[in-house]
Amino acid sequence: MLQRWPALFVENQVYQEFNRVVGKNLKQEFYDSLDRHCPALVDVMKSKRGLKRQLLDALLRQAQTSDIADIRCLVLRGLAVLLDDDPSEFFKDCFLCPPTSCVCIAAPPPAEEIKESREGGGIKYHV
């Protein structure tokens, strides 16, 4: 798939193709929808009981601020628990990051600040 459609593996190209096909800004649409659904998802997380609640409580304690980036991160990380999935395997993306890093970002760096290097058979992006 990488050889046939290499642009699908470049974040900026995915945004441009989505905009071309749908006529909307993918990143803005995602964040707008996430912000709209965050309060309800946090309420769902707080309503859970048992083992799920214990796992979600750890996440809830980490996000004790009302900062939108923290709330987004909480909700995205809590999705794996809510869906009974392994949090370490739930998020897959084109970036190679340490398993402890948060996949949530308030605003990604501009594309011109991201540099590409090939390591270990994959592509690594770094700022």
Side-chain angles (χ1 to χ4, degrees):
M1 198 156 104
L2 178 62
Q3 292 173 341
R4 187 168 179 187
W5 295 296
L8 290 178
F9 295 89
V10 179
E11 181 179 6
N12 193 36
Q13 293 294 324
V14 172
Y15 293 146
Q16 288 177 5
E17 184 65 11
F18 186 86
N19 191 0
R20 184 187 70 79
V21 172
V22 180
K24 295 182 179 181
N25 182 319
L26 174 62
K27 191 184 308 184
Q28 190 63 44
E29 286 290 315
F30 173 77
Y31 284 125
D32 288 347
S33 295
L34 182 61
D35 293 344
R36 188 173 56 252
H37 295 291
C38 273
L41 287 168
V42 169
D43 289 342
V44 168
M45 292 168 73
K46 289 179 179 178
S47 72
K48 292 297 174 184
R49 300 286 178 244
L51 180 60
K52 276 189 187 181
R53 178 59 187 247
Q54 291 175 0
L55 296 170
L56 292 169
D57 272 345
L59 292 175
L60 288 165
R61 280 192 299 272
Q62 292 175 8
Q64 289 297 319
T65 67
S66 59
D67 179 46
I68 191 65
D70 287 344
I71 301 300
R72 287 174 179 166
C73 191
L74 165 69
V75 168
L76 290 174
R77 294 175 91 191
L79 280 177
V81 177
L82 289 173
L83 297 173
D84 289 324
D85 210 335
D86 179 10
S88 65
E89 295 292 322
F90 189 73
F91 296 102
K92 298 288 184 189
D93 56 31
C94 62
F95 299 99
L96 301 174
C97 354
T100 58
S101 68
C102 180
V103 298
C104 311
I105 51 177
E112 56 272 7
E113 290 182 21
I114 300 176
K115 297 169 183 59
E116 178 181 310
S117 64
R118 300 188 181 271
E119 296 179 2
I123 299 174
K124 182 176 182 179
Y125 296 89
H126 51 90
V127 179

